[in-house]
Every structure is written in C-alpha cells, then in structure tokens.
Amino acid sequence: MKRYYRFAIFLILMLTIGLIAVIRLTGSDNGFVGNDDVVFLNETAHRATGDIPSEDTSQKREYVILDSNGNTLFDNRIDRSEVLTVETAIQRRYPYTYIKKNNQIIGSVILTDGEKRFDRLRTNIILIYVGCSLVLITAVLAFGAYIRKIVIIPFDKMKNFASYVAAGDLDKPLEMDKDNMFGAFSESFDIMREELKASKARELSLQKKERELVASLSHDLKTPVTGIKLTSELMAAVFSQNEGREFTVTPDMTAKMNNIYKRAEEINVLVSDLFSSTLEDLGEFKVNCTDENSAVIAEVVSKYDDRGLARLSDIPEVMIHIDKIRLSQVIGNILSNSYKYAGTPIDVRSHIEDEFLVVSIADSGQGVSDDELELITNKFYRGKNHGNKDGSGLGLYIARMLMDKMGGELTVSSPNGLCVTLLIPLS
C-alpha cells in the first residue's frame, strides 16, 4: 500500500505542476488573434470604407474606429476612459487592421475585447484541466479505497490472525467477509484455526491421559512389589532362624516362592503394556511373523492360565502365520483382563473360517454394555463396570493393535459376559 500512496502523491504533484504550467503559459494573450477576430476586423474595415457604421448590436463586440489622423470615429467600449491609437493598440497587443480605400489608408479598426475573450478561454482551459485532474484523482483515490477494502484490510486481519495463532490464541475466530476476494481464503484460515484448536485439545487430552497412565501404572506396580517385599522378608526371616542348620522346604515356602514369581510376572506384564504402547505411539512397534503349528495356542493359554480357569476345547491342527511372542502377549492380556474383571471360568474355543483360525475367549462375568463395545479396545478406555479395580486401559488396546500388525483381527462381544474373538491368519 505504500507504493500506492507514493503513486497518488506523485500524481497529485504532477497535476499541480501541470496546473501551474497552464496558468503561466496562459498568463497573457501574447498577441493571440483568433479567426473570429480576423473575420470581424476585415468585415468591419470593409463596412467602414463606406459611411461610418453605427454600433453593430449583432456582434456585441467592443471596438474602436479611428481615421487616418488618429481621431476617434466610432467607439462602443463600455469603459472609454482610455484614448486609443494604433501605437497604443500595438503596445497593448490589441487586434487591429487598417481601413483602405483605393489602396490608401483612411483609418484603422482596433478590437478591444480580444483580451477578455482570451481570458475567458484561459479560464475555461484551466477549469477543464482542474476538472479532469479532480476526476483522475478521485478515480485513483476510489480505486485505492476499493483495494484497501477488499485486499489490504482482509490481509491485515489474516496477518493479525496469524500472530494470534503463533501466540497460541486459538479461541479468537477470524472475521470473514465473503463479499471480498479473500472470503473463501479467510474461511479456510478459520477452518485451520479450528483444526489446530481441536488438535491442541487432543494433545492436551493425550498428555492428561499419559499422566493418568503413569499414575495408574505406578499404583498398579505397588501391589505386586509390596507382595514381593513381604514374601521376601518372610522368607528371609525363616532362613535367618534356620541359619547354620538344615531345614526342610515346606509346601508353604514353595507357595510363597511361586507367589514371588507371579508378582514379578504381573510387573512384567504392566511394564510390557507401557513399553508396547510407547513403541506404537512412536511408530516403531514391529512384529516378525513366521509359520507356527496351531498347537502353540494351547501352550500359550496353559502358560498364562495361572488360576486354572481356562477350559480349552480341541484346536484344529493347522499352520498359522503369527509372531509367537506377540500372540502370547495378546492372549496373556485377554486372560489377565478376564481374571481382573470377571474371575469366572474361561472358555477357549476355535474353528476355521475362510482363511483364518477363529479363536474365541469368553468368560461369564458382567460383560460390557452395547454402547461400550466399540470403545473397550480404545487406548486408555476402561469399562464403566470396572469398579475400584486397578488398571491402565491398555490391555485390550495393545491386543487389538498386535493382531492388526499380524494381519489378523480382534473383536469383542458381550452375549453372556465378555467374549474376545481372534482372527488368526492361516499360513
């Protein structure tokens, strides 16, 4: 816009200089004689060769007729205070001509209103110049105002809007005027602001959930750690009492040692969940699938069924394409979830459907409501019926994510309790 202002100032300056030049160039008639003046002088001189004419009212021109001696024969000037001669007319640059008869000068005609006519012409020229200049200046200013309204002001608004966004102020909307050329463009900017605001809200929500996750996992880790510490202290006390002598390992001591192992395995599962979730967020979680016999499913179920609640039906003998370690993590998370929230016998059934081995793991607990079925496998989501049971909301999420990465699928239903169905791809 600065260039426009400079152009406008330059234009006004040039027009002003032009006006001064017109005024100076037309400051005097400089002996200007128009065609009308020549015709009038010739006609008047021709008529004067006869009788001296009376005042010609049709022409309404002011002139003086002198004889050869310079005496005034006719004068219709309004102001007759000045005595005119041919010499005076020459000095004053009045148009004049001689009256001739038989090739002899018998007088002269001096036209005295030529200067007034030139003044009127000069005034008209100046007025026309000024009028055209004003029209041009008005057009330039109007164009500048139009550009300012449809371009500069909207652009300034977007510039200020960008500074607000850069400062983190995403609540102030961008004022839009769809009548100007930036209407759709500014609307896109405001949509961007809304998306940034929503993204920031999601980021804050994720940060909050991550803090909650850390707090939840910290709480969950305290329980097995406390159990390990108590059991270890008890065993240390027993060993201290029997130091220096032989003693028999009792079933109670064996149970406590097994309890230490189980508590340590609980910690391992919680840490694995957290680590897996972090890797998935970073896009670095990888699986290495190989062909395995379907009997591996029975091995995994037996490994993670610490309470002996799983009831495993016959598994079709086929080759499946899986990552054994990741499938163990999937089934371990499902069984652990069922232990925590249901505590009922768990039925594990399987059959072949199309190109998948379908494995269903179902308990007889409270299950979840229909409106929660699509949410139960989301990250950090916990069912409404979890009560006061500790948890992070990652178990089923990680299981679903691992199945997706292995080319399979995990779905949940709640007919009579919670049923988790795994679609494991065949080799």
Side-chain angles (χ1 to χ4, degrees):
M1 202 66 182
K2 290 182 179 179
R3 292 185 178 180
Y4 165 77
Y5 291 141
R6 292 173 182 173
F7 171 76
I9 293 173
F10 176 77
L11 178 64
I12 294 174
L13 180 61
M14 294 303 296
L15 291 175
T16 303
I17 294 174
L19 177 61
I20 295 173
V22 169
I23 293 174
R24 290 181 64 86
L25 291 174
T26 59
S28 63
D29 57 5
N30 292 324
F32 171 79
V33 179
N35 291 332
D36 292 343
D37 294 341
V38 173
V39 172
F40 179 79
L41 287 172
N42 290 333
E43 290 180 350
T44 304
H46 180 69
R47 289 197 306 271
T49 56
D51 297 334
I52 299 304
S54 60
E55 184 177 355
D56 186 357
T57 57
S58 63
Q59 294 292 335
K60 295 184 178 178
R61 303 293 301 271
E62 295 183 4
Y63 61 97
V64 176
I65 298 177
L66 304 176
D67 60 15
S68 58
N69 296 321
N71 299 318
T72 301
L73 301 178
F74 180 84
D75 188 353
N76 69 346
R77 294 178 298 166
I78 297 176
D79 183 8
R80 302 179 184 179
S81 59
E82 181 183 16
V83 178
L84 284 181
T85 63
V86 175
E87 291 76 11
T88 304
I90 294 173
Q91 293 174 359
R92 299 291 299 273
R93 298 180 180 275
Y94 289 157
Y96 71 96
T97 187
Y98 290 108
I99 303 172
K100 296 180 180 181
K101 188 174 183 179
N102 297 327
N103 293 325
Q104 292 183 355
I105 298 175
I106 63 172
S108 59
V109 179
I110 302 173
L111 186 61
T112 60
D113 65 354
E115 185 177 2
K116 296 179 180 178
R117 287 169 59 84
F118 181 78
D119 288 341
R120 288 196 296 270
L121 178 61
R122 175 173 176 263
T123 301
N124 291 336
I125 292 173
I126 294 174
L127 290 177
I128 292 173
Y129 181 89
V130 172
C132 293
S133 299
L134 290 177
V135 170
L136 181 59
I137 293 173
T138 302
V140 170
L141 294 178
F143 178 75
Y146 175 74
I147 293 298
R148 176 177 175 79
K149 179 180 179 182
I150 68 170
V151 177
I152 304 302
I153 293 177
F155 186 79
D156 287 341
K157 289 181 179 179
M158 286 190 288
K159 183 173 69 174
N160 294 333
F161 171 77
S163 64
Y164 295 144
V165 172
D169 184 5
L170 300 176
D171 295 323
K172 187 173 182 178
L174 175 62
E175 297 180 5
M176 293 178 290
D177 184 3
K178 295 185 178 181
D179 293 334
N180 63 59
M181 61 187 301
F182 282 93
F185 192 52
S186 58
E187 184 176 6
S188 300
F189 264 64
D190 199 59
I191 292 174
M192 180 191 71
R193 175 193 64 82
E194 293 178 354
E195 290 298 325
L196 288 174
K197 183 178 179 180
S199 177
K200 185 177 181 180
R202 288 192 295 269
E203 180 182 1
L204 293 175
S205 176
L206 180 60
Q207 292 176 354
K208 180 181 178 181
K209 288 182 178 180
E210 288 177 348
R211 289 193 294 269
E212 292 174 350
L213 171 63
V214 173
S216 176
L217 288 177
S218 299
H219 184 272
D220 290 345
L221 287 171
K222 286 181 180 180
T223 301
V225 168
T226 301
I228 291 174
K229 289 175 64 178
L230 292 175
T231 304
S232 300
E233 290 173 358
L234 179 60
M235 293 185 66
V238 172
F239 291 151
S240 177
Q241 292 175 359
N242 294 277
E243 185 177 1
R245 60 182 179 178
E246 295 182 358
F247 64 94
T248 303
V249 177
T250 64
D252 183 59
M253 294 173 65
T254 302
K256 285 181 170 53
M257 292 179 65
N258 289 334
N259 185 47
I260 291 177
Y261 174 80
K262 290 181 179 179
R263 295 295 185 180
E265 186 63 24
E266 288 181 27
I267 295 176
N268 180 59
V269 171
L270 290 171
V271 173
S272 296
D273 285 353
L274 179 60
F275 183 66
S276 299
S277 174
T278 303
L279 286 179
E280 194 272 335
D281 285 340
L282 296 175
E284 298 179 358
F285 202 101
K286 294 179 176 60
V287 296
N288 298 307
C289 294
T290 58
D291 293 337
E292 300 282 350
N293 192 288
S294 58
V296 72
I297 296 175
E299 297 177 11
V300 172
V301 171
S302 176
K303 176 182 177 181
Y304 286 93
D305 184 24
D306 297 332
R307 300 184 186 180
L309 297 178
R311 298 182 297 200
L312 184 64
S313 62
D314 293 337
I315 300 175
E317 189 172 347
V318 293
M319 296 299 292
I320 55 180
H321 191 65
I322 59 167
D323 184 325
K324 184 177 179 180
I325 296 177
R326 301 307 181 194
L327 183 63
S328 299
Q329 191 174 356
V330 170
I331 295 176
N333 283 349
I334 295 172
L335 293 178
S336 176
N337 196 67
S338 181
Y339 287 166
K340 183 181 296 185
Y341 298 108
T344 67
I346 304 170
D347 293 317
V348 182
R349 299 184 177 89
S350 57
H351 66 277
I352 296 176
E353 184 176 321
D354 297 330
E355 298 179 353
F356 296 94
L357 174 63
V358 181
V359 179
S360 61
I361 305 174
D363 59 42
S364 302
Q366 296 181 2
V368 296
S369 59
D370 293 339
D371 58 343
E372 288 187 290
L373 285 176
E374 295 183 359
L375 304 174
I376 199 68
T377 58
N378 288 349
K379 195 173 186 179
F380 304 127
Y381 186 84
R382 303 185 68 199
K384 296 177 182 178
N385 60 354
H386 65 78
N388 295 323
K389 297 181 177 65
D390 297 328
S392 59
L394 286 173
L396 289 180
Y397 164 74
I398 292 175
R400 176 177 63 81
M401 180 265 297
L402 289 174
M403 289 303 301
D404 290 341
K405 289 185 175 292
M406 288 189 290
E409 187 177 348
L410 181 150
T411 60
V412 293
S413 59
S414 186
N416 296 302
L418 184 67
C419 178
V420 181
T421 302
L422 304 177
L423 272 65
I424 303 173
L426 300 178
S427 299

